[in-house]
Amino acid sequence: MTKRFLLALLTIFFLNLNTCAAEDLKFIDSNGDDGYFIDMDTVKIESATTFSVNLAIVRINLNQMELIDLQIDHGKKIYTIRSVRTLSYDERTEIKSDYTPRSAKGYSDKSLMGDIVQIVIYGGE
């Protein structure tokens, strides 16, 4: 628990040093050295049950950040990764990008995607 808290605190500190990437990051979770955030500025409601949002995965130990463009249909409980960009964390320079949409996958309410839906749609954590 302490490690997760310190990782979240460190990630928030580093994200605030450089504001050119995302402006309104909301912490979702952490796993080891990875912190998961959503950029609330990228939320776009596409229909009554579908929205898009960018997921940022900060990998402090690799000095990298992945930006994943997600489309989530919370009515059908599926999500689609539309693109993935890997950036150098310090300089925000692009290392690689992949704009190939992936196949839709299902998710549960108790998963990372379920947490994202909870925050975007219902405002809760």
Side-chain angles (χ1 to χ4, degrees), residues 3-62:
K3 184 177 178 182
R4 290 178 79 172
F5 175 76
L6 290 175
L7 174 66
L9 189 63
L10 248 169
T11 304
I12 291 168
F13 172 76
F14 284 116
L15 287 173
N16 286 328
L17 290 177
N18 190 341
T19 59
C20 69
E23 295 297 324
D24 189 11
L25 291 180
K26 180 127 180 138
F27 177 75
I28 303 287
D29 200 358
S30 65
N31 184 9
D33 291 330
D34 298 345
Y36 297 86
F37 301 81
I38 54 173
D39 182 358
M40 296 303 289
D41 285 345
T42 64
V43 173
K44 291 184 182 76
I45 305 301
E46 297 176 359
S47 74
T49 62
T50 306
F51 65 90
S52 63
V53 66
N54 283 347
L55 171 65
I57 304 173
V58 178
R59 295 190 163 99
I60 296 294
N61 61 333
L62 298 176

